[in-house]
Amino acid sequence: MKAITVEPRKPGTVRFEDVPDPDAREGSVLVEAIAAAVCGTDVEIAEGKYGWAPPGKTRLVLGHESLGRVIDPGPRSSLKKGDLVTGIVRRPDPVPCPNCAVGEWDMCRNGLYTERGIKEIHGFMSERWRIEPEYAIKIDPSLGILGVLLEPTTVIAKALEQILAVGQRAFWEPKTVLVTGAGPIGLLAAAVARLPRLEVHVLDRIETGLKPDLVRALGATYHSGRVLDIGFEPDVIVECTGVGSVIADSIQKVGAGGVVCLTGVGAGGIAMGAVADVAAAAVLKNNVVVGSVNANKRHWYKANDRLARLDRTWLSRLITRYEKPENFTQALERKPDDIKVVIQFSEI
Ligand code: BGC
């Protein structure tokens, strides 16, 4: 079969090439790939900045945002041939740490977790893949190809759960949410936060076009410019840019008793002069800054429910480009109008 593979930490090594069929040890459920979506992490891996091949191997099959059709459910699963499924990304560490031991692999404490298509286990950008039944999530068939958006939605489901958990330390009835960054994660965060009718604002650098349109279509408010200029103090900020200045502004701008949840992974040093000012704002307003990554099974369950409740036309506008696997180079390129790029392996 063919797969999109990469030699992690070596830029320019992505190939669409012949690889052996998936190993039976990867799981008893055999799946035919329909689609795999591209995210910033895939681009980073392709650029040689992140990622780990399986032990003893030099190349990794890329891809962690998946959608496939069950070809063979195997002997011990409730899945049926033809079911649409997606695969959970992370596997618990083998020690296991206390959090992995209780199924909270997203909160792994020793860093020995593995992740499909990212860290030491092959991903889903192959014509066929295997998965353990307990890590295969059945998708609402009415979502169709939009099921490929489940994985980023799980990241949001976890982040929102973290925000609520932190907020509950005191009396707290959040009403306003600011999302920074109108990429796929930011837009999905805004859409999920609108489900309970919260007042949602989204801020991005872009001034016109699809992103502001999508935000307004949710009944949310769009801002371009600086967080400090939005004109109110949000109860919650979901930070999806990873940009230092946006993070610093968010910590200063969030309302008293508020929560800033960081989901974006950026790079760059700490501007020491500003840290104490930013921290002082957090101290004096009892604010919390919480980082959030990945998702466990509870979040996959919640995300599956939330995604199925979102408007299908709105969701389909998030996918701005479909590419064939052989066009992986274009798929991994970030073009100005892109929101989500999907690599389509077979017809749905
Ligand atoms: C994925 C997460 C993963 C993280 C770090 C993200 O792109 O969505 O599942 O934990 O990268 O590797």
Side-chain angles (χ1 to χ4, degrees):
M1 67 167 183
K2 282 207 152 19
I4 301 176
T5 69
V6 63
E7 187 170 339
R9 312 288 168 153
K10 273 206 186 165
T13 56
V14 181
R15 294 202 290 253
F16 183 50
E17 61 174 352
D18 284 313
V19 296
D21 264 39
D23 194 311
R25 282 170 300 187
E26 286 173 9
S28 54
V29 182
L30 182 62
V31 178
E32 172 196 23
I34 296 171
V38 175
C39 96
T41 305
D42 301 310
V43 176
E44 273 186 28
I45 297 173
E47 288 173 347
K49 296 180 185 153
Y50 196 64
W52 297 260
K57 302 259 194 302
T58 51
R59 299 188 72 81
L60 169 77
V61 175
L62 205 56
H64 62 278
E65 299 187 6
S66 62
L67 177 70
R69 185 184 296 111
V70 174
I71 306 176
D72 178 2
R76 52 181 193 95
S77 93
S78 53
L79 291 166
K80 290 189 212 52
K81 193 171 176 219
D83 279 348
L84 293 185
V85 288
T86 181
I88 292 182
V89 177
R90 195 175 278 199
R91 298 291 175 278
D93 80 72
V95 175
C97 76
N99 290 69
C100 284
V102 300
E104 289 185 352
W105 49 72
D106 58 313
M107 301 294 289
C108 180
R109 302 264 285 276
N110 60 20
L112 297 177
Y113 64 83
T114 51
E115 285 180 339
R116 292 205 62 164
I118 302 174
K119 189 169 183 271
E120 296 167 17
I121 21 178
H122 287 316
F124 302 108
M125 287 184 186
S126 52
E127 289 173 319
R128 287 177 292 287
W129 39 269
R130 283 189 169 274
I131 189 143
E132 314 86 326
E134 61 277 25
Y135 290 98
I137 303 289
K138 191 171 155 183
I139 301 263
D140 182 333
S142 73
L143 277 167
I145 193 96
L146 301 173
V148 78
L149 298 172
L150 184 59
E151 197 277 343
T153 312
T154 68
V155 169
I156 297 305
K158 158 143 182 208
L160 295 178
E161 200 183 75
Q162 292 286 304
I163 292 166
L164 269 186
V166 168
Q168 297 305 336
R169 75 211 150 118
F171 176 77
W172 197 55
E173 286 180 339
K175 294 192 173 55
T176 51
V177 179
L178 171 69
V179 177
T180 52
I185 293 281
L187 289 167
L188 283 167
V192 175
R194 282 293 293 151
L195 287 173
R197 298 271 150 213
L198 288 168
E199 182 186 320
V200 176
H201 298 251
V202 179
L203 178 139
D204 196 287
R205 283 179 304 189
I206 301 264
E207 285 174 11
T208 54
L210 182 57
K211 288 178 176 181
D213 285 356
L214 284 167
V215 170
R216 291 184 192 117
L218 291 171
T221 308
Y222 188 82
H223 305 254
S224 54
R226 284 192 71 175
V227 171
L228 295 180
D229 300 329
I230 56 165
F232 71 103
E233 295 187 344
D235 298 322
V236 170
I237 300 185
V238 187
E239 206 300 300
C240 307
T241 70
V243 174
S245 57
V246 180
I247 297 168
D249 287 356
S250 297
I251 297 171
Q252 270 167 292
K253 191 67 182 173
V254 73
V259 182
V260 177
C261 183
L262 308 178
T263 67
V265 183
I270 294 177
M272 292 313 287
V275 171
D277 292 340
V278 170
V283 172
L284 294 171
K285 295 194 287 180
N286 287 299
N287 292 340
V288 178
V289 179
V290 57
S292 180
V293 70
N294 195 253
N296 67 40
K297 212 163 190 176
R298 190 172 66 245
H299 309 124
W300 282 80
Y301 175 85
K302 288 185 177 180
N304 214 355
D305 168 77
R306 307 301 184 267
L307 192 64
R309 284 163 54 195
L310 295 178
D311 181 76
R312 305 295 144 92
T313 310
W314 187 87
L315 283 174
S316 64
R317 294 172 75 199
L318 291 184
I319 303 179
T320 43
R321 199 148 57 88
Y322 287 91
E323 294 284 1
K324 295 194 171 120
E326 51 271 36
N327 295 338
F328 62 86
T329 311
Q330 286 94 307
L332 290 163
E333 246 169 53
R334 289 194 236 222
K335 300 196 175 156
D337 294 332
D338 282 338
I339 296 179
K340 183 55 97 183
V341 176
V342 167
I343 302 179
Q344 193 156 0
F345 283 82
S346 65
E347 287 305 312
I348 180 118

